[in-house]
Each structure stands twice: as structure tokens, then as C-alpha cells.
Amino acid sequence: MPELRVRRAYGDSHDEVSVENPLPTSVENFPVRRQKSYPFNGTGAISMTTTIAADFPNVKMEVVMVEAKISSAPTTSESFTVTRKNTGGSANYDPVLYSVNPSASAATSIVQIWDPPYPLDLNDDVTVAFTNTDARTIGGRIVVREVL
């Protein structure tokens, strides 16, 4: 690795020393983490399932965040849900990752950030669903990334 020149100061005097550079000097040392956003929108019922299993076959992925913007606060009590879709098994193994009733707090923005990100099994997908009886305009996205 290339060396760094460091100047150390002592009052009115100084000296220089060489130290090994602890930082990588090229991008080849950094693994690339694939990431993708899956948008959804509509004015009626929302039911969108990602295509993670098809886009990244046999790649471990994780859910980073889900966000949605609603044109105006819904008044009908309904849940906005985010569900893990197990493509290799029964719907009985599709847990709800997040659920919120936007009418309860007159919400027009929904943001759920998983920290740490929620790990998915190989070939899983994620579904966003909202009945949207009030026919509000909704737009949003699901963000996933590769596990390194």
C-alpha cells in the first residue's frame, strides 16, 4: 500500500513521518451491493408484489425501507401493509413486516425504515397492500438491497 506523509507539530517545530495508508486505494477492494427500488402508485386499491425473486434469483436480499405518499388523509379505517411473500411455500409463511392505519393519525406520509434491514429468504418477494376505499392517490416505493 502507498504510504502517507504525516506532519507532527510540537510548538514551533515539527517533523514528518511515513505511515502505511490504511485506506484502500482503488474501488476493486470494495464489493458492490446491488440495490433496487420497486415503485407503486394508483388511486384505487394498491396491491403490488416486487419481482425480487426474478430480478435477483438465488441472491440474499434485505428490505431497507418502504415509503408512500397519500394525496390526502384517508378517513376510512384500513391498514396499509407490507408483507414478506414466501415464493417457495404456503401463504401461511407470509408474515406482515409492517402495518399502519393511516386514517388513525390522518397520515399522508408513510415511511418505514428497517435498521438493521429486514433479511429475506432466497427468492422471497415483498407485497404492499392498501384497500384505499377513499380512492386517494398513492405513490411510493419499496427499497431492497443485496446482503453482502
Side-chain angles (χ1 to χ4, degrees):
M1 281 197 187
E3 291 184 344
L4 293 176
R5 300 289 293 166
V6 178
R7 177 176 280 198
R8 299 185 296 186
Y10 305 98
D12 292 335
S13 64
H14 67 274
D15 64 354
E16 289 188 11
V17 296
S18 294
V19 295
E20 186 175 317
N21 183 356
L23 302 174
T25 56
S26 70
V27 293
E28 67 190 37
N29 297 324
F30 289 102
V32 176
R33 182 185 300 227
R34 295 177 285 182
Q35 178 171 307
K36 186 167 182 176
S37 290
Y38 293 91
F40 58 88
N41 60 62
T43 55
I46 302 291
S47 181
M48 190 280 292
T49 300
T50 63
T51 55
I52 299 167
D55 296 341
F56 303 100
N58 298 313
V59 174
K60 292 283 254 177
M61 300 295 284
E62 55 194 8
V63 182
V64 177
M65 68 176 281
V66 173
E67 62 183 359
K69 178 68 176 144
I70 306 171
S71 60
S72 60
T75 57
T76 304
S77 181
E78 300 168 328
S79 292
F80 175 95
T81 60
V82 180
T83 306
R84 188 186 91 201
K85 176 81 175 131
N86 183 308
T87 58
S90 164
N92 295 333
Y93 300 105
D94 294 349
V96 173
L97 306 180
Y98 178 72
S99 181
V100 65
N101 179 348
S103 69
S105 63
T108 57
S109 291
I110 298 169
V111 177
Q112 172 61 31
I113 300 171
W114 284 271
D115 186 20
Y118 185 88
L120 299 172
D121 289 337
L122 283 178
N123 301 317
D124 276 356
D125 281 313
V126 178
T127 298
V128 169
F130 183 55
T131 305
N132 197 14
T133 298
D134 299 324
R136 303 298 196 241
T137 300
I138 300 174
R141 67 183 179 143
I142 301 169
V143 179
V144 300
R145 71 179 182 196
E146 181 177 17
V147 175
L148 294 179

